Amino acid sequence: MKKIGILVLMLMFLVSLVACGGSKYEDEITEAVQAFKYDFGSMAEKVTRENSAILVYDDGKYIGVASKMDGRIIDSYYKKISGTKKRLELVTDLDIEKYIKEDAEVSYKERYGEEIKVGN
């Protein structure tokens, strides 16, 4: 009986370690991928984190999602909104999009579900 208890305790410890393995932007990335799928409808039904590129800018203020759909790469940018139920909003302002692409600092990169080191 003690062996089973120890085994259960070890399994719980392992699960807790795996759960802590994600990035600090885990929730925002998941929400951005879901928003991307919603925004592009049936065209994006097969889009997942594992077949996309994710960029987090300015310590989580902006999230970029890019994925291949219909033979071309489509990207969208989302802005984190505080104090609202919906935490991310699609960036439609061309000036903000230009800022993200040219001047925003990349805080986190991910491609095909794997983190890529951000160079300094």
Side-chain angles (χ1 to χ4, degrees), residues 27-42 44-45 47-49 52 54 63-66 69 74-80 86-91:
D27 293 340
E28 290 88 350
I29 292 170
T30 301
E31 189 175 342
V33 171
Q34 290 301 319
F36 184 87
K37 289 176 75 163
Y38 176 80
D39 291 339
F40 289 96
S42 63
E45 65 188 20
V47 171
T48 65
R49 195 169 170 173
S52 300
I54 311 290
I63 313 281
V65 179
M69 295 185 301
I74 306 293
D75 62 349
S76 284
Y77 298 94
Y78 297 89
K79 181 179 180 180
K80 190 173 183 180
K86 183 179 178 186
R87 297 184 318 174
L88 293 179
E89 176 180 273
L90 180 65
V91 172

PDB file of all heavy atoms in Angstrom, residues 27-42 44-45 47-49 52 54 63-66 69 74-80 86-91:
ATOM      1  N   ASP A  27      -1.185  31.655 -21.605  1.00  0.00           N
ATOM      2  CA  ASP A  27      -2.613  31.989 -21.774  1.00  0.00           C
ATOM      3  C   ASP A  27      -2.836  32.922 -22.949  1.00  0.00           C
ATOM      4  O   ASP A  27      -3.779  32.745 -23.727  1.00  0.00           O
ATOM      5  CB  ASP A  27      -3.179  32.615 -20.495  1.00  0.00           C
ATOM      6  CG  ASP A  27      -3.233  31.634 -19.337  1.00  0.00           C
ATOM      7  OD1 ASP A  27      -3.205  30.411 -19.586  1.00  0.00           O
ATOM      8  OD2 ASP A  27      -3.287  32.093 -18.180  1.00  0.00           O
ATOM      9  N   GLU A  28      -1.977  33.922 -23.088  1.00  0.00           N
ATOM     10  CA  GLU A  28      -2.122  34.880 -24.180  1.00  0.00           C
ATOM     11  C   GLU A  28      -1.922  34.209 -25.537  1.00  0.00           C
ATOM     12  O   GLU A  28      -2.637  34.492 -26.491  1.00  0.00           O
ATOM     13  CB  GLU A  28      -1.131  36.036 -24.020  1.00  0.00           C
ATOM     14  CG  GLU A  28      -1.433  36.966 -22.863  1.00  0.00           C
ATOM     15  CD  GLU A  28      -0.819  36.521 -21.546  1.00  0.00           C
ATOM     16  OE1 GLU A  28      -0.310  35.382 -21.473  1.00  0.00           O
ATOM     17  OE2 GLU A  28      -0.865  37.305 -20.586  1.00  0.00           O
ATOM     18  N   ILE A  29      -0.936  33.310 -25.617  1.00  0.00           N
ATOM     19  CA  ILE A  29      -0.681  32.607 -26.879  1.00  0.00           C
ATOM     20  C   ILE A  29      -1.863  31.728 -27.247  1.00  0.00           C
ATOM     21  O   ILE A  29      -2.328  31.738 -28.390  1.00  0.00           O
ATOM     22  CB  ILE A  29       0.622  31.781 -26.791  1.00  0.00           C
ATOM     23  CG1 ILE A  29       1.829  32.718 -26.706  1.00  0.00           C
ATOM     24  CG2 ILE A  29       0.742  30.833 -27.973  1.00  0.00           C
ATOM     25  CD1 ILE A  29       3.128  32.014 -26.376  1.00  0.00           C
ATOM     26  N   THR A  30      -2.362  30.980 -26.287  1.00  0.00           N
ATOM     27  CA  THR A  30      -3.524  30.117 -26.538  1.00  0.00           C
ATOM     28  C   THR A  30      -4.713  30.944 -27.009  1.00  0.00           C
ATOM     29  O   THR A  30      -5.393  30.590 -27.972  1.00  0.00           O
ATOM     30  CB  THR A  30      -3.889  29.323 -25.267  1.00  0.00           C
ATOM     31  OG1 THR A  30      -2.766  28.531 -24.893  1.00  0.00           O
ATOM     32  CG2 THR A  30      -5.098  28.443 -25.488  1.00  0.00           C
ATOM     33  N   GLU A  31      -4.950  32.059 -26.348  1.00  0.00           N
ATOM     34  CA  GLU A  31      -6.061  32.935 -26.721  1.00  0.00           C
ATOM     35  C   GLU A  31      -5.848  33.538 -28.109  1.00  0.00           C
ATOM     36  O   GLU A  31      -6.791  33.650 -28.900  1.00  0.00           O
ATOM     37  CB  GLU A  31      -6.218  34.039 -25.677  1.00  0.00           C
ATOM     38  CG  GLU A  31      -7.470  34.861 -25.871  1.00  0.00           C
ATOM     39  CD  GLU A  31      -7.684  35.883 -24.773  1.00  0.00           C
ATOM     40  OE1 GLU A  31      -7.087  35.769 -23.693  1.00  0.00           O
ATOM     41  OE2 GLU A  31      -8.467  36.818 -25.020  1.00  0.00           O
ATOM     42  N   ALA A  32      -4.616  33.908 -28.439  1.00  0.00           N
ATOM     43  CA  ALA A  32      -4.323  34.491 -29.758  1.00  0.00           C
ATOM     44  C   ALA A  32      -4.544  33.474 -30.875  1.00  0.00           C
ATOM     45  O   ALA A  32      -5.097  33.813 -31.922  1.00  0.00           O
ATOM     46  CB  ALA A  32      -2.887  35.019 -29.802  1.00  0.00           C
ATOM     47  N   VAL A  33      -4.138  32.232 -30.667  1.00  0.00           N
ATOM     48  CA  VAL A  33      -4.359  31.194 -31.684  1.00  0.00           C
ATOM     49  C   VAL A  33      -5.856  30.960 -31.874  1.00  0.00           C
ATOM     50  O   VAL A  33      -6.339  30.837 -33.009  1.00  0.00           O
ATOM     51  CB  VAL A  33      -3.626  29.884 -31.311  1.00  0.00           C
ATOM     52  CG1 VAL A  33      -4.034  28.747 -32.232  1.00  0.00           C
ATOM     53  CG2 VAL A  33      -2.114  30.090 -31.360  1.00  0.00           C
ATOM     54  N   GLN A  34      -6.607  30.940 -30.790  1.00  0.00           N
ATOM     55  CA  GLN A  34      -8.057  30.768 -30.897  1.00  0.00           C
ATOM     56  C   GLN A  34      -8.705  31.957 -31.622  1.00  0.00           C
ATOM     57  O   GLN A  34      -9.606  31.783 -32.447  1.00  0.00           O
ATOM     58  CB  GLN A  34      -8.690  30.592 -29.507  1.00  0.00           C
ATOM     59  CG  GLN A  34      -8.342  29.277 -28.852  1.00  0.00           C
ATOM     60  CD  GLN A  34      -8.787  28.085 -29.694  1.00  0.00           C
ATOM     61  OE1 GLN A  34      -9.864  28.062 -30.270  1.00  0.00           O
ATOM     62  NE2 GLN A  34      -7.916  27.097 -29.788  1.00  0.00           N
ATOM     63  N   ALA A  35      -8.247  33.160 -31.318  1.00  0.00           N
ATOM     64  CA  ALA A  35      -8.774  34.352 -31.990  1.00  0.00           C
ATOM     65  C   ALA A  35      -8.442  34.314 -33.476  1.00  0.00           C
ATOM     66  O   ALA A  35      -9.278  34.661 -34.320  1.00  0.00           O
ATOM     67  CB  ALA A  35      -8.204  35.617 -31.340  1.00  0.00           C
ATOM     68  N   PHE A  36      -7.233  33.886 -33.816  1.00  0.00           N
ATOM     69  CA  PHE A  36      -6.809  33.755 -35.208  1.00  0.00           C
ATOM     70  C   PHE A  36      -7.741  32.789 -35.942  1.00  0.00           C
ATOM     71  O   PHE A  36      -8.215  33.077 -37.041  1.00  0.00           O
ATOM     72  CB  PHE A  36      -5.365  33.257 -35.231  1.00  0.00           C
ATOM     73  CG  PHE A  36      -4.747  33.167 -36.605  1.00  0.00           C
ATOM     74  CD1 PHE A  36      -4.121  34.258 -37.171  1.00  0.00           C
ATOM     75  CD2 PHE A  36      -4.783  31.985 -37.321  1.00  0.00           C
ATOM     76  CE1 PHE A  36      -3.534  34.181 -38.432  1.00  0.00           C
ATOM     77  CE2 PHE A  36      -4.203  31.883 -38.568  1.00  0.00           C
ATOM     78  CZ  PHE A  36      -3.571  32.992 -39.123  1.00  0.00           C
ATOM     79  N   LYS A  37      -8.011  31.651 -35.327  1.00  0.00           N
ATOM     80  CA  LYS A  37      -8.899  30.658 -35.936  1.00  0.00           C
ATOM     81  C   LYS A  37     -10.310  31.236 -36.121  1.00  0.00           C
ATOM     82  O   LYS A  37     -10.943  31.035 -37.153  1.00  0.00           O
ATOM     83  CB  LYS A  37      -8.955  29.395 -35.083  1.00  0.00           C
ATOM     84  CG  LYS A  37      -7.669  28.597 -35.131  1.00  0.00           C
ATOM     85  CD  LYS A  37      -7.700  27.417 -34.207  1.00  0.00           C
ATOM     86  CE  LYS A  37      -8.572  26.356 -34.811  1.00  0.00           C
ATOM     87  NZ  LYS A  37      -8.382  25.034 -34.230  1.00  0.00           N
ATOM     88  N   TYR A  38     -10.770  31.972 -35.124  1.00  0.00           N
ATOM     89  CA  TYR A  38     -12.105  32.571 -35.203  1.00  0.00           C
ATOM     90  C   TYR A  38     -12.147  33.623 -36.314  1.00  0.00           C
ATOM     91  O   TYR A  38     -13.081  33.660 -37.115  1.00  0.00           O
ATOM     92  CB  TYR A  38     -12.463  33.210 -33.858  1.00  0.00           C
ATOM     93  CG  TYR A  38     -13.780  33.923 -33.875  1.00  0.00           C
ATOM     94  CD1 TYR A  38     -14.974  33.220 -33.762  1.00  0.00           C
ATOM     95  CD2 TYR A  38     -13.841  35.304 -34.029  1.00  0.00           C
ATOM     96  CE1 TYR A  38     -16.200  33.876 -33.788  1.00  0.00           C
ATOM     97  CE2 TYR A  38     -15.057  35.965 -34.059  1.00  0.00           C
ATOM     98  CZ  TYR A  38     -16.227  35.246 -33.935  1.00  0.00           C
ATOM     99  OH  TYR A  38     -17.431  35.898 -33.975  1.00  0.00           O
ATOM    100  N   ASP A  39     -11.111  34.463 -36.381  1.00  0.00           N
ATOM    101  CA  ASP A  39     -11.081  35.544 -37.364  1.00  0.00           C
ATOM    102  C   ASP A  39     -11.050  35.031 -38.804  1.00  0.00           C
ATOM    103  O   ASP A  39     -11.611  35.664 -39.691  1.00  0.00           O
ATOM    104  CB  ASP A  39      -9.881  36.463 -37.120  1.00  0.00           C
ATOM    105  CG  ASP A  39     -10.016  37.266 -35.835  1.00  0.00           C
ATOM    106  OD1 ASP A  39     -11.147  37.421 -35.342  1.00  0.00           O
ATOM    107  OD2 ASP A  39      -8.977  37.734 -35.323  1.00  0.00           O
ATOM    108  N   PHE A  40     -10.398  33.903 -39.044  1.00  0.00           N
ATOM    109  CA  PHE A  40     -10.280  33.377 -40.401  1.00  0.00           C
ATOM    110  C   PHE A  40     -11.248  32.238 -40.701  1.00  0.00           C
ATOM    111  O   PHE A  40     -11.242  31.698 -41.806  1.00  0.00           O
ATOM    112  CB  PHE A  40      -8.829  32.960 -40.688  1.00  0.00           C
ATOM    113  CG  PHE A  40      -7.924  34.138 -40.830  1.00  0.00           C
ATOM    114  CD1 PHE A  40      -7.181  34.604 -39.760  1.00  0.00           C
ATOM    115  CD2 PHE A  40      -7.854  34.828 -42.035  1.00  0.00           C
ATOM    116  CE1 PHE A  40      -6.361  35.708 -39.883  1.00  0.00           C
ATOM    117  CE2 PHE A  40      -7.035  35.936 -42.166  1.00  0.00           C
ATOM    118  CZ  PHE A  40      -6.293  36.377 -41.086  1.00  0.00           C
ATOM    119  N   GLY A  41     -12.066  31.869 -39.748  1.00  0.00           N
ATOM    120  CA  GLY A  41     -13.144  30.904 -39.969  1.00  0.00           C
ATOM    121  C   GLY A  41     -12.679  29.554 -40.479  1.00  0.00           C
ATOM    122  O   GLY A  41     -11.640  29.037 -40.078  1.00  0.00           O
ATOM    123  N   SER A  42     -13.446  28.993 -41.395  1.00  0.00           N
ATOM    124  CA  SER A  42     -13.186  27.641 -41.874  1.00  0.00           C
ATOM    125  C   SER A  42     -11.833  27.518 -42.569  1.00  0.00           C
ATOM    126  O   SER A  42     -11.245  26.442 -42.605  1.00  0.00           O
ATOM    127  CB  SER A  42     -14.298  27.171 -42.805  1.00  0.00           C
ATOM    128  OG  SER A  42     -14.351  27.986 -43.956  1.00  0.00           O
ATOM    129  N   ALA A  44      -9.144  28.536 -41.456  1.00  0.00           N
ATOM    130  CA  ALA A  44      -8.126  28.332 -40.426  1.00  0.00           C
ATOM    131  C   ALA A  44      -8.455  27.181 -39.485  1.00  0.00           C
ATOM    132  O   ALA A  44      -7.844  27.054 -38.434  1.00  0.00           O
ATOM    133  CB  ALA A  44      -7.954  29.612 -39.624  1.00  0.00           C
ATOM    134  N   GLU A  45      -9.381  26.325 -39.867  1.00  0.00           N
ATOM    135  CA  GLU A  45      -9.795  25.270 -38.931  1.00  0.00           C
ATOM    136  C   GLU A  45      -8.662  24.327 -38.544  1.00  0.00           C
ATOM    137  O   GLU A  45      -8.683  23.745 -37.467  1.00  0.00           O
ATOM    138  CB  GLU A  45     -10.984  24.484 -39.475  1.00  0.00           C
ATOM    139  CG  GLU A  45     -10.708  23.703 -40.725  1.00  0.00           C
ATOM    140  CD  GLU A  45     -11.962  23.088 -41.325  1.00  0.00           C
ATOM    141  OE1 GLU A  45     -13.072  23.550 -41.022  1.00  0.00           O
ATOM    142  OE2 GLU A  45     -11.808  22.144 -42.100  1.00  0.00           O
ATOM    143  N   VAL A  47      -5.479  25.273 -38.174  1.00  0.00           N
ATOM    144  CA  VAL A  47      -4.393  26.037 -37.557  1.00  0.00           C
ATOM    145  C   VAL A  47      -4.284  25.652 -36.082  1.00  0.00           C
ATOM    146  O   VAL A  47      -5.268  25.629 -35.355  1.00  0.00           O
ATOM    147  CB  VAL A  47      -4.635  27.552 -37.690  1.00  0.00           C
ATOM    148  CG1 VAL A  47      -3.640  28.343 -36.859  1.00  0.00           C
ATOM    149  CG2 VAL A  47      -4.555  27.964 -39.147  1.00  0.00           C
ATOM    150  N   THR A  48      -3.066  25.323 -35.676  1.00  0.00           N
ATOM    151  CA  THR A  48      -2.767  25.027 -34.279  1.00  0.00           C
ATOM    152  C   THR A  48      -1.463  25.719 -33.918  1.00  0.00           C
ATOM    153  O   THR A  48      -0.757  26.246 -34.783  1.00  0.00           O
ATOM    154  CB  THR A  48      -2.591  23.512 -34.037  1.00  0.00           C
ATOM    155  OG1 THR A  48      -1.437  23.062 -34.754  1.00  0.00           O
ATOM    156  CG2 THR A  48      -3.818  22.725 -34.465  1.00  0.00           C
ATOM    157  N   ARG A  49      -1.146  25.657 -32.683  1.00  0.00           N
ATOM    158  CA  ARG A  49       0.123  26.211 -32.215  1.00  0.00           C
ATOM    159  C   ARG A  49       1.295  25.425 -32.804  1.00  0.00           C
ATOM    160  O   ARG A  49       2.355  25.977 -33.040  1.00  0.00           O
ATOM    161  CB  ARG A  49       0.122  26.117 -30.688  1.00  0.00           C
ATOM    162  CG  ARG A  49       1.150  26.932 -30.028  1.00  0.00           C
ATOM    163  CD  ARG A  49       0.862  26.969 -28.557  1.00  0.00           C
ATOM    164  NE  ARG A  49       1.974  27.559 -27.848  1.00  0.00           N
ATOM    165  CZ  ARG A  49       1.945  27.834 -26.577  1.00  0.00           C
ATOM    166  NH1 ARG A  49       0.867  27.575 -25.875  1.00  0.00           N
ATOM    167  NH2 ARG A  49       2.992  28.366 -25.993  1.00  0.00           N
ATOM    168  N   SER A  52       2.193  26.737 -36.458  1.00  0.00           N
ATOM    169  CA  SER A  52       2.210  28.195 -36.585  1.00  0.00           C
ATOM    170  C   SER A  52       3.490  28.773 -35.998  1.00  0.00           C
ATOM    171  O   SER A  52       4.232  28.088 -35.311  1.00  0.00           O
ATOM    172  CB  SER A  52       1.016  28.796 -35.826  1.00  0.00           C
ATOM    173  OG  SER A  52      -0.194  28.314 -36.331  1.00  0.00           O
ATOM    174  N   ILE A  54       4.671  31.986 -33.563  1.00  0.00           N
ATOM    175  CA  ILE A  54       4.131  32.910 -32.572  1.00  0.00           C
ATOM    176  C   ILE A  54       5.235  33.880 -32.170  1.00  0.00           C
ATOM    177  O   ILE A  54       6.358  33.469 -31.886  1.00  0.00           O
ATOM    178  CB  ILE A  54       3.660  32.170 -31.294  1.00  0.00           C
ATOM    179  CG1 ILE A  54       2.761  30.980 -31.618  1.00  0.00           C
ATOM    180  CG2 ILE A  54       3.027  33.134 -30.307  1.00  0.00           C
ATOM    181  CD1 ILE A  54       1.407  31.313 -32.144  1.00  0.00           C
ATOM    182  N   ILE A  63       0.674  40.130 -29.532  1.00  0.00           N
ATOM    183  CA  ILE A  63       0.944  38.745 -29.906  1.00  0.00           C
ATOM    184  C   ILE A  63       0.729  38.627 -31.410  1.00  0.00           C
ATOM    185  O   ILE A  63      -0.319  39.032 -31.927  1.00  0.00           O
ATOM    186  CB  ILE A  63      -0.029  37.753 -29.226  1.00  0.00           C
ATOM    187  CG1 ILE A  63      -0.190  38.030 -27.739  1.00  0.00           C
ATOM    188  CG2 ILE A  63       0.368  36.313 -29.534  1.00  0.00           C
ATOM    189  CD1 ILE A  63       0.882  37.550 -26.859  1.00  0.00           C
ATOM    190  N   GLY A  64       1.717  38.070 -32.093  1.00  0.00           N
ATOM    191  CA  GLY A  64       1.603  37.824 -33.527  1.00  0.00           C
ATOM    192  C   GLY A  64       1.458  36.334 -33.788  1.00  0.00           C
ATOM    193  O   GLY A  64       2.144  35.523 -33.175  1.00  0.00           O
ATOM    194  N   VAL A  65       0.543  35.983 -34.675  1.00  0.00           N
ATOM    195  CA  VAL A  65       0.332  34.587 -35.071  1.00  0.00           C
ATOM    196  C   VAL A  65       0.436  34.528 -36.585  1.00  0.00           C
ATOM    197  O   VAL A  65      -0.193  35.318 -37.289  1.00  0.00           O
ATOM    198  CB  VAL A  65      -1.063  34.071 -34.630  1.00  0.00           C
ATOM    199  CG1 VAL A  65      -1.270  32.638 -35.083  1.00  0.00           C
ATOM    200  CG2 VAL A  65      -1.253  34.197 -33.135  1.00  0.00           C
ATOM    201  N   ALA A  66       1.250  33.587 -37.088  1.00  0.00           N
ATOM    202  CA  ALA A  66       1.385  33.391 -38.529  1.00  0.00           C
ATOM    203  C   ALA A  66       1.246  31.905 -38.819  1.00  0.00           C
ATOM    204  O   ALA A  66       1.811  31.073 -38.111  1.00  0.00           O
ATOM    205  CB  ALA A  66       2.730  33.900 -39.022  1.00  0.00           C
ATOM    206  N   MET A  69      -1.980  29.002 -44.828  1.00  0.00           N
ATOM    207  CA  MET A  69      -3.359  28.673 -45.192  1.00  0.00           C
ATOM    208  C   MET A  69      -3.515  28.888 -46.687  1.00  0.00           C
ATOM    209  O   MET A  69      -3.069  29.916 -47.209  1.00  0.00           O
ATOM    210  CB  MET A  69      -4.353  29.569 -44.429  1.00  0.00           C
ATOM    211  CG  MET A  69      -4.349  29.345 -42.941  1.00  0.00           C
ATOM    212  SD  MET A  69      -5.610  30.295 -42.051  1.00  0.00           S
ATOM    213  CE  MET A  69      -5.224  31.971 -42.457  1.00  0.00           C
ATOM    214  N   ILE A  74      -0.281  33.605 -43.686  1.00  0.00           N
ATOM    215  CA  ILE A  74      -1.178  34.665 -43.219  1.00  0.00           C
ATOM    216  C   ILE A  74      -0.773  35.004 -41.788  1.00  0.00           C
ATOM    217  O   ILE A  74      -0.555  34.110 -40.968  1.00  0.00           O
ATOM    218  CB  ILE A  74      -2.655  34.192 -43.227  1.00  0.00           C
ATOM    219  CG1 ILE A  74      -3.061  33.656 -44.591  1.00  0.00           C
ATOM    220  CG2 ILE A  74      -3.581  35.290 -42.739  1.00  0.00           C
ATOM    221  CD1 ILE A  74      -3.116  34.685 -45.690  1.00  0.00           C
ATOM    222  N   ASP A  75      -0.669  36.304 -41.493  1.00  0.00           N
ATOM    223  CA  ASP A  75      -0.352  36.698 -40.123  1.00  0.00           C
ATOM    224  C   ASP A  75      -1.346  37.725 -39.612  1.00  0.00           C
ATOM    225  O   ASP A  75      -1.954  38.462 -40.383  1.00  0.00           O
ATOM    226  CB  ASP A  75       1.083  37.217 -40.012  1.00  0.00           C
ATOM    227  CG  ASP A  75       1.344  38.462 -40.837  1.00  0.00           C
ATOM    228  OD1 ASP A  75       0.486  38.821 -41.669  1.00  0.00           O
ATOM    229  OD2 ASP A  75       2.400  39.095 -40.665  1.00  0.00           O
ATOM    230  N   SER A  76      -1.509  37.708 -38.293  1.00  0.00           N
ATOM    231  CA  SER A  76      -2.366  38.666 -37.605  1.00  0.00           C
ATOM    232  C   SER A  76      -1.705  39.057 -36.303  1.00  0.00           C
ATOM    233  O   SER A  76      -0.939  38.278 -35.721  1.00  0.00           O
ATOM    234  CB  SER A  76      -3.741  38.053 -37.290  1.00  0.00           C
ATOM    235  OG  SER A  76      -4.532  38.003 -38.429  1.00  0.00           O
ATOM    236  N   TYR A  77      -2.023  40.247 -35.851  1.00  0.00           N
ATOM    237  CA  TYR A  77      -1.476  40.744 -34.598  1.00  0.00           C
ATOM    238  C   TYR A  77      -2.630  41.071 -33.667  1.00  0.00           C
ATOM    239  O   TYR A  77      -3.661  41.596 -34.082  1.00  0.00           O
ATOM    240  CB  TYR A  77      -0.622  41.995 -34.838  1.00  0.00           C
ATOM    241  CG  TYR A  77       0.556  41.692 -35.724  1.00  0.00           C
ATOM    242  CD1 TYR A  77       0.481  41.883 -37.099  1.00  0.00           C
ATOM    243  CD2 TYR A  77       1.727  41.177 -35.191  1.00  0.00           C
ATOM    244  CE1 TYR A  77       1.554  41.580 -37.917  1.00  0.00           C
ATOM    245  CE2 TYR A  77       2.807  40.875 -36.005  1.00  0.00           C
ATOM    246  CZ  TYR A  77       2.715  41.075 -37.369  1.00  0.00           C
ATOM    247  OH  TYR A  77       3.772  40.768 -38.178  1.00  0.00           O
ATOM    248  N   TYR A  78      -2.421  40.756 -32.394  1.00  0.00           N
ATOM    249  CA  TYR A  78      -3.440  40.987 -31.375  1.00  0.00           C
ATOM    250  C   TYR A  78      -2.850  41.839 -30.262  1.00  0.00           C
ATOM    251  O   TYR A  78      -1.691  41.679 -29.892  1.00  0.00           O
ATOM    252  CB  TYR A  78      -3.950  39.648 -30.820  1.00  0.00           C
ATOM    253  CG  TYR A  78      -4.631  38.833 -31.894  1.00  0.00           C
ATOM    254  CD1 TYR A  78      -3.912  37.948 -32.683  1.00  0.00           C
ATOM    255  CD2 TYR A  78      -5.972  39.022 -32.166  1.00  0.00           C
ATOM    256  CE1 TYR A  78      -4.528  37.242 -33.701  1.00  0.00           C
ATOM    257  CE2 TYR A  78      -6.599  38.310 -33.183  1.00  0.00           C
ATOM    258  CZ  TYR A  78      -5.871  37.434 -33.940  1.00  0.00           C
ATOM    259  OH  TYR A  78      -6.483  36.737 -34.961  1.00  0.00           O
ATOM    260  N   LYS A  79      -3.663  42.749 -29.749  1.00  0.00           N
ATOM    261  CA  LYS A  79      -3.242  43.646 -28.679  1.00  0.00           C
ATOM    262  C   LYS A  79      -3.922  43.209 -27.389  1.00  0.00           C
ATOM    263  O   LYS A  79      -5.120  42.931 -27.368  1.00  0.00           O
ATOM    264  CB  LYS A  79      -3.647  45.085 -29.008  1.00  0.00           C
ATOM    265  CG  LYS A  79      -3.236  46.087 -27.958  1.00  0.00           C
ATOM    266  CD  LYS A  79      -3.638  47.490 -28.352  1.00  0.00           C
ATOM    267  CE  LYS A  79      -3.202  48.470 -27.284  1.00  0.00           C
ATOM    268  NZ  LYS A  79      -3.568  49.836 -27.623  1.00  0.00           N
ATOM    269  N   LYS A  80      -3.143  43.152 -26.321  1.00  0.00           N
ATOM    270  CA  LYS A  80      -3.677  42.795 -25.019  1.00  0.00           C
ATOM    271  C   LYS A  80      -4.442  43.990 -24.454  1.00  0.00           C
ATOM    272  O   LYS A  80      -3.931  45.100 -24.411  1.00  0.00           O
ATOM    273  CB  LYS A  80      -2.535  42.400 -24.088  1.00  0.00           C
ATOM    274  CG  LYS A  80      -2.976  41.790 -22.800  1.00  0.00           C
ATOM    275  CD  LYS A  80      -1.747  41.297 -22.050  1.00  0.00           C
ATOM    276  CE  LYS A  80      -2.133  40.614 -20.772  1.00  0.00           C
ATOM    277  NZ  LYS A  80      -0.926  40.141 -20.064  1.00  0.00           N
ATOM    278  N   LYS A  86     -12.829  40.171 -22.817  1.00  0.00           N
ATOM    279  CA  LYS A  86     -12.024  39.687 -23.936  1.00  0.00           C
ATOM    280  C   LYS A  86     -10.658  40.349 -23.809  1.00  0.00           C
ATOM    281  O   LYS A  86     -10.531  41.564 -23.911  1.00  0.00           O
ATOM    282  CB  LYS A  86     -12.689  40.070 -25.261  1.00  0.00           C
ATOM    283  CG  LYS A  86     -11.950  39.549 -26.465  1.00  0.00           C
ATOM    284  CD  LYS A  86     -12.664  39.921 -27.740  1.00  0.00           C
ATOM    285  CE  LYS A  86     -11.857  39.428 -28.928  1.00  0.00           C
ATOM    286  NZ  LYS A  86     -12.434  39.873 -30.178  1.00  0.00           N
ATOM    287  N   ARG A  87      -9.639  39.545 -23.590  1.00  0.00           N
ATOM    288  CA  ARG A  87      -8.322  40.103 -23.279  1.00  0.00           C
ATOM    289  C   ARG A  87      -7.510  40.487 -24.502  1.00  0.00           C
ATOM    290  O   ARG A  87      -6.576  41.253 -24.410  1.00  0.00           O
ATOM    291  CB  ARG A  87      -7.528  39.127 -22.434  1.00  0.00           C
ATOM    292  CG  ARG A  87      -8.173  38.874 -21.091  1.00  0.00           C
ATOM    293  CD  ARG A  87      -7.368  37.994 -20.224  1.00  0.00           C
ATOM    294  NE  ARG A  87      -6.787  36.885 -20.952  1.00  0.00           N
ATOM    295  CZ  ARG A  87      -5.942  36.040 -20.446  1.00  0.00           C
ATOM    296  NH1 ARG A  87      -5.565  36.173 -19.215  1.00  0.00           N
ATOM    297  NH2 ARG A  87      -5.455  35.043 -21.157  1.00  0.00           N
ATOM    298  N   LEU A  88      -7.828  39.950 -25.671  1.00  0.00           N
ATOM    299  CA  LEU A  88      -7.081  40.284 -26.880  1.00  0.00           C
ATOM    300  C   LEU A  88      -8.005  40.875 -27.931  1.00  0.00           C
ATOM    301  O   LEU A  88      -9.152  40.469 -28.068  1.00  0.00           O
ATOM    302  CB  LEU A  88      -6.402  39.040 -27.460  1.00  0.00           C
ATOM    303  CG  LEU A  88      -5.286  38.410 -26.643  1.00  0.00           C
ATOM    304  CD1 LEU A  88      -4.756  37.185 -27.353  1.00  0.00           C
ATOM    305  CD2 LEU A  88      -4.164  39.392 -26.401  1.00  0.00           C
ATOM    306  N   GLU A  89      -7.458  41.825 -28.668  1.00  0.00           N
ATOM    307  CA  GLU A  89      -8.221  42.472 -29.730  1.00  0.00           C
ATOM    308  C   GLU A  89      -7.362  42.485 -30.992  1.00  0.00           C
ATOM    309  O   GLU A  89      -6.165  42.757 -30.941  1.00  0.00           O
ATOM    310  CB  GLU A  89      -8.528  43.900 -29.281  1.00  0.00           C
ATOM    311  CG  GLU A  89      -9.230  44.748 -30.275  1.00  0.00           C
ATOM    312  CD  GLU A  89      -9.481  46.141 -29.708  1.00  0.00           C
ATOM    313  OE1 GLU A  89     -10.519  46.323 -29.055  1.00  0.00           O
ATOM    314  OE2 GLU A  89      -8.620  47.029 -29.906  1.00  0.00           O
ATOM    315  N   LEU A  90      -7.965  42.186 -32.121  1.00  0.00           N
ATOM    316  CA  LEU A  90      -7.263  42.198 -33.400  1.00  0.00           C
ATOM    317  C   LEU A  90      -6.762  43.609 -33.693  1.00  0.00           C
ATOM    318  O   LEU A  90      -7.504  44.579 -33.573  1.00  0.00           O
ATOM    319  CB  LEU A  90      -8.201  41.736 -34.514  1.00  0.00           C
ATOM    320  CG  LEU A  90      -7.620  41.697 -35.932  1.00  0.00           C
ATOM    321  CD1 LEU A  90      -6.512  40.648 -36.027  1.00  0.00           C
ATOM    322  CD2 LEU A  90      -8.718  41.391 -36.934  1.00  0.00           C
ATOM    323  N   VAL A  91      -5.501  43.725 -34.068  1.00  0.00           N
ATOM    324  CA  VAL A  91      -4.931  45.030 -34.432  1.00  0.00           C
ATOM    325  C   VAL A  91      -5.340  45.335 -35.865  1.00  0.00           C
ATOM    326  O   VAL A  91      -5.003  44.595 -36.785  1.00  0.00           O
ATOM    327  CB  VAL A  91      -3.389  45.016 -34.305  1.00  0.00           C
ATOM    328  CG1 VAL A  91      -2.793  46.293 -34.862  1.00  0.00           C
ATOM    329  CG2 VAL A  91      -2.981  44.814 -32.860  1.00  0.00           C
TER     330      VAL A  91
END
